Short mmCIF file of all heavy atoms in Angstrom, two decimals:
data_model
loop_
_atom_site.label_atom_id
_atom_site.label_comp_id
_atom_site.label_asym_id
_atom_site.label_seq_id
_atom_site.Cartn_x
_atom_site.Cartn_y
_atom_site.Cartn_z
N GLN A 2 -50.71 -69.52 -4.37
CA GLN A 2 -51.16 -70.37 -3.28
C GLN A 2 -50.38 -71.66 -3.30
O GLN A 2 -49.92 -72.14 -4.34
CB GLN A 2 -52.64 -70.67 -3.39
CG GLN A 2 -53.54 -69.45 -3.20
CD GLN A 2 -55.00 -69.81 -3.34
OE1 GLN A 2 -55.37 -70.78 -4.01
NE2 GLN A 2 -55.87 -69.01 -2.69
N GLN A 25 -19.46 -35.33 -14.12
CA GLN A 25 -19.06 -34.16 -14.91
C GLN A 25 -18.57 -33.06 -13.95
O GLN A 25 -19.37 -32.43 -13.27
CB GLN A 25 -20.25 -33.66 -15.72
CG GLN A 25 -20.81 -34.69 -16.66
CD GLN A 25 -22.09 -34.20 -17.36
OE1 GLN A 25 -22.39 -33.01 -17.37
NE2 GLN A 25 -22.83 -35.13 -17.92
N ASN A 53 -13.08 -40.35 -3.79
CA ASN A 53 -11.66 -40.53 -4.12
C ASN A 53 -11.02 -39.33 -4.79
O ASN A 53 -10.00 -39.48 -5.47
CB ASN A 53 -11.45 -41.79 -4.99
CG ASN A 53 -12.00 -43.07 -4.38
OD1 ASN A 53 -11.95 -43.21 -3.15
ND2 ASN A 53 -12.54 -43.95 -5.21
N LYS A 60 -4.56 -30.91 -12.36
CA LYS A 60 -3.41 -30.55 -13.22
C LYS A 60 -3.22 -29.05 -13.13
O LYS A 60 -4.09 -28.26 -13.52
CB LYS A 60 -3.71 -30.98 -14.67
CG LYS A 60 -2.55 -30.71 -15.63
CD LYS A 60 -2.92 -31.18 -17.04
CE LYS A 60 -1.80 -30.87 -18.02
NZ LYS A 60 -2.13 -31.32 -19.40
N TYR A 76 -16.67 -29.40 -3.80
CA TYR A 76 -15.34 -29.34 -3.19
C TYR A 76 -14.78 -27.91 -3.35
O TYR A 76 -15.24 -27.14 -4.20
CB TYR A 76 -14.39 -30.33 -3.85
CG TYR A 76 -14.76 -31.77 -3.60
CD1 TYR A 76 -15.79 -32.38 -4.35
CD2 TYR A 76 -14.12 -32.53 -2.63
CE1 TYR A 76 -16.16 -33.70 -4.11
CE2 TYR A 76 -14.48 -33.86 -2.39
CZ TYR A 76 -15.50 -34.44 -3.14
OH TYR A 76 -15.86 -35.74 -2.91
N ILE A 87 0.94 -16.73 -16.98
CA ILE A 87 -0.34 -17.45 -17.10
C ILE A 87 -0.35 -18.65 -16.19
O ILE A 87 0.63 -19.42 -16.12
CB ILE A 87 -0.55 -17.88 -18.57
CG1 ILE A 87 -0.63 -16.66 -19.48
CG2 ILE A 87 -1.82 -18.72 -18.71
CD1 ILE A 87 -0.74 -17.00 -20.96
N ASN A 105 -14.77 -40.05 -14.11
CA ASN A 105 -15.19 -38.70 -14.55
C ASN A 105 -14.63 -38.36 -15.93
O ASN A 105 -13.62 -38.93 -16.38
CB ASN A 105 -14.67 -37.65 -13.56
CG ASN A 105 -13.15 -37.55 -13.54
OD1 ASN A 105 -12.45 -38.44 -13.03
ND2 ASN A 105 -12.62 -36.46 -14.10
N PRO A 120 4.06 -1.49 -10.54
CA PRO A 120 4.65 -0.60 -11.55
C PRO A 120 5.90 0.10 -11.03
O PRO A 120 6.05 0.30 -9.81
CB PRO A 120 3.54 0.41 -11.84
CG PRO A 120 2.27 -0.28 -11.44
CD PRO A 120 2.65 -1.15 -10.26
N ILE A 133 7.99 23.89 -9.92
CA ILE A 133 7.99 25.23 -9.31
C ILE A 133 8.14 25.08 -7.79
O ILE A 133 7.77 24.05 -7.21
CB ILE A 133 6.73 26.02 -9.66
CG1 ILE A 133 5.48 25.29 -9.11
CG2 ILE A 133 6.63 26.24 -11.16
CD1 ILE A 133 4.21 26.08 -9.28
N THR A 140 -5.96 29.13 -4.87
CA THR A 140 -7.15 28.38 -5.24
C THR A 140 -6.83 27.19 -6.16
O THR A 140 -7.71 26.36 -6.43
CB THR A 140 -8.16 29.28 -5.99
OG1 THR A 140 -7.56 29.77 -7.20
CG2 THR A 140 -8.57 30.45 -5.11
N LYS A 150 6.18 3.31 -15.29
CA LYS A 150 5.98 2.30 -16.33
C LYS A 150 5.69 0.93 -15.71
O LYS A 150 6.01 0.71 -14.52
CB LYS A 150 7.18 2.22 -17.26
CG LYS A 150 8.49 1.79 -16.59
CD LYS A 150 9.62 1.76 -17.63
CE LYS A 150 10.93 1.33 -17.00
NZ LYS A 150 12.03 1.25 -18.00
N ASP A 151 5.13 0.06 -16.49
CA ASP A 151 4.83 -1.29 -16.04
C ASP A 151 5.10 -2.25 -17.19
O ASP A 151 4.49 -2.15 -18.25
CB ASP A 151 3.36 -1.40 -15.61
CG ASP A 151 3.04 -2.77 -15.01
OD1 ASP A 151 3.26 -2.94 -13.79
OD2 ASP A 151 2.57 -3.65 -15.75
N TRP A 161 -3.74 10.78 -7.99
CA TRP A 161 -2.96 11.82 -7.37
C TRP A 161 -3.70 12.38 -6.14
O TRP A 161 -4.92 12.25 -6.01
CB TRP A 161 -2.63 12.93 -8.37
CG TRP A 161 -3.73 13.92 -8.64
CD1 TRP A 161 -5.03 13.64 -9.00
CD2 TRP A 161 -3.62 15.34 -8.55
NE1 TRP A 161 -5.71 14.80 -9.18
CE2 TRP A 161 -4.90 15.87 -8.91
CE3 TRP A 161 -2.60 16.22 -8.23
CZ2 TRP A 161 -5.15 17.23 -8.93
CZ3 TRP A 161 -2.85 17.59 -8.28
CH2 TRP A 161 -4.11 18.07 -8.61
N GLU A 166 2.14 17.18 3.67
CA GLU A 166 3.37 16.43 3.80
C GLU A 166 3.45 15.40 2.67
O GLU A 166 2.42 15.09 2.04
CB GLU A 166 3.46 15.75 5.16
CG GLU A 166 2.41 14.68 5.41
CD GLU A 166 1.06 15.25 5.83
OE1 GLU A 166 1.05 16.23 6.59
OE2 GLU A 166 0.02 14.72 5.39
N ASN A 190 -9.16 26.56 -1.47
CA ASN A 190 -9.04 27.82 -0.71
C ASN A 190 -8.07 27.55 0.42
O ASN A 190 -8.47 27.33 1.57
CB ASN A 190 -10.40 28.26 -0.19
CG ASN A 190 -10.36 29.61 0.48
OD1 ASN A 190 -9.37 30.36 0.36
ND2 ASN A 190 -11.39 29.95 1.22
N SER A 205 -2.90 -2.87 -14.89
CA SER A 205 -4.16 -3.50 -15.29
C SER A 205 -4.59 -4.63 -14.38
O SER A 205 -5.76 -5.01 -14.38
CB SER A 205 -4.01 -4.03 -16.74
OG SER A 205 -3.79 -2.96 -17.65
N PRO A 228 11.25 46.27 5.73
CA PRO A 228 12.42 46.28 6.63
C PRO A 228 12.28 47.35 7.70
O PRO A 228 11.62 48.38 7.51
CB PRO A 228 13.59 46.56 5.69
CG PRO A 228 13.00 47.26 4.53
CD PRO A 228 11.61 46.69 4.37
N LEU A 242 22.64 53.61 3.13
CA LEU A 242 21.42 53.16 3.79
C LEU A 242 21.69 51.81 4.45
O LEU A 242 22.27 50.89 3.87
CB LEU A 242 20.30 53.03 2.77
CG LEU A 242 19.86 54.32 2.05
CD1 LEU A 242 18.79 53.99 1.03
CD2 LEU A 242 19.38 55.37 3.03
#
Side-chain angles (χ1 to χ4, degrees):
Q2 293 180 334
Q25 301 173 17
N53 304 325
K60 183 179 178 181
Y76 294 79
I87 298 175
N105 67 287
I133 61 174
T140 63
K150 63 180 180 178
D151 186 86
W161 80 308
E166 64 280 322
N190 185 13
S205 297
L242 298 177

